């Protein structure tokens, strides 16, 4: 074949061959990308799939938790009690990012939690003095001043999936006074085990619903 026989007269034979090779490589790469196998979806214990399944009968139906985003170390589970507190006590270990509900027989029911970005700003002994289902969220005055997203809700945000308190809230009082800290729900599993909130202790909605039904008003709580 002569140069003039090439599809583009101004292209040299060497350039044409190089271009053809490049196009062939691209074609092969394209084929490879369409046939490449994706990593398999993780397999979860059916017990956990049931534990974190959707809750369609709630006032605001709660979707299932995408367990790919919830750390396996922070799934709800029974463990030997590390606290030494009497049964029925809630213990929040902010360093571990765990909440323990102490049980009889040296056991505890452990939940993964998220805490405040600067660490939990309050610690000590108190009690759960109030509980609420699908609570109203009223941002503190200081938050309203510094956060323009909070300002529209200065008089309270109604309960719902978009509410920062989630499906349940338990209000921490010390010596009869509101500490302004709460145990509350969230629909964001990636925040469990992290320091991300404005100071309260958050549990995934399925876990806070479970805890809510286990603890009455007056339950002692220790935050360490």
């Amino acid at each position: 074949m002569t140069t003039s026989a090439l599809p583009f007269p101004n292209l040299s034979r060497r350039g044409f061959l190089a271009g053809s090779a490049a196009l062939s490589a691209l074609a092969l790469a394209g084929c490879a990308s369409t046939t490449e196998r994706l990593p398999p979806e993780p397999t979860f214990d059916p017990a956990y799939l049931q534990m974190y399944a959707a809750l369609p009968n709630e006032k605001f139906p709660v979707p299932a938790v995408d367990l790919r985003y919830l750390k396996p170390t922070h799934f709800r589970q029974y463990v030997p009690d590390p606290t030494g507190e009497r049964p029925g006590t809630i213990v929040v270990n902010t360093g571990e990012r765990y909440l323990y509900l102490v049980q009889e027989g040296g056991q505890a029911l452990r939940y993964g939690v998220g805490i405040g970005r600067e660490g939990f700003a309050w610690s000590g002994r108190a009690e759960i003095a109030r509980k609420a289902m699908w609570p109203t969220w009223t941002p503190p005055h200081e938050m309203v001043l510094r956060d323009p997203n909070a300002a529209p809700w200065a008089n309270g945000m109604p309960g719902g999936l978009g509410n920062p308190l989630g499906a349940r809230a338990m209000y921490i009082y010390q010596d009869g006074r509101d500490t302004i800290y709460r145990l509350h729900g969230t629909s964001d599993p990636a925040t469990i085990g992290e320091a991300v909130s404005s100071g309260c202790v958050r549990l995934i909605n399925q876990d806070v619903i479970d805890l809510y039904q286990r603890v009455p008003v007056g339950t002692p709580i220790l935050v360490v």
Side-chain angles (χ1 to χ4, degrees):
M1 177 184 294
T2 65
T3 301
S4 59
L6 293 173
F8 302 97
N10 294 327
L11 185 65
S12 70
R13 179 180 181 82
R14 178 178 298 177
F16 176 76
L17 292 175
S20 299
L23 289 172
S24 298
L26 286 173
L28 288 173
C31 291
S33 65
T34 59
T35 58
E36 180 181 0
R37 292 191 177 187
L38 297 174
E41 289 289 330
T43 301
F44 296 102
D45 187 317
Y48 288 123
L49 293 174
Q50 181 177 4
M51 180 180 295
Y52 292 110
L55 301 174
N57 296 324
E58 281 287 321
K59 179 179 180 181
F60 301 96
V62 176
V65 178
D66 188 336
L67 294 181
R68 294 175 299 172
Y69 299 99
L70 182 62
K71 301 171 184 64
T73 52
H74 286 69
F75 289 1
R76 186 196 326 160
Q77 59 184 292
Y78 284 95
V79 297
D81 173 38
T83 73
E85 296 294 319
R86 63 185 177 87
T89 303
I90 293 172
V91 179
V92 178
N93 188 312
T94 60
E96 295 180 347
R97 314 287 203 261
Y98 288 132
L99 181 153
Y100 299 91
L101 177 59
V102 182
Q103 308 287 297
E104 300 283 354
Q107 294 289 298
L109 184 52
R110 190 181 75 186
Y111 303 80
V113 299
I115 64 168
R117 286 184 294 272
E118 301 301 325
F120 200 84
W122 177 89
S123 63
R125 291 186 182 272
E127 68 175 16
I128 303 300
R130 186 161 73 89
K131 298 166 56 179
M133 302 172 66
W134 296 104
T136 297
W137 174 63
T138 304
H141 179 65
E142 296 79 6
M143 181 181 288
V144 171
L145 293 178
R146 72 173 185 266
D147 186 352
N149 294 319
W153 307 109
N155 295 321
M157 176 188 284
L161 289 174
N163 185 300
L165 296 182
R168 304 286 188 274
M170 287 159 272
Y171 299 77
I172 302 174
Y173 280 59
Q174 187 179 47
D175 299 326
R177 299 182 63 182
D178 188 354
T179 66
I180 76 169
Y181 295 110
R182 322 294 188 219
L183 307 178
H184 67 81
T186 180
S187 58
D188 188 353
T191 64
I192 302 302
E194 303 296 330
V196 291
S197 76
S198 296
C200 295
V201 176
R202 60 171 62 185
L203 301 86
I204 199 69
N205 278 326
Q206 280 82 346
D207 280 350
V208 81
I209 290 170
D210 182 82
L211 179 64
Y212 184 96
Q213 65 189 7
R214 294 176 186 270
V215 298
V217 168
T219 294
I221 179 169
L222 170 63
V223 178
V224 297

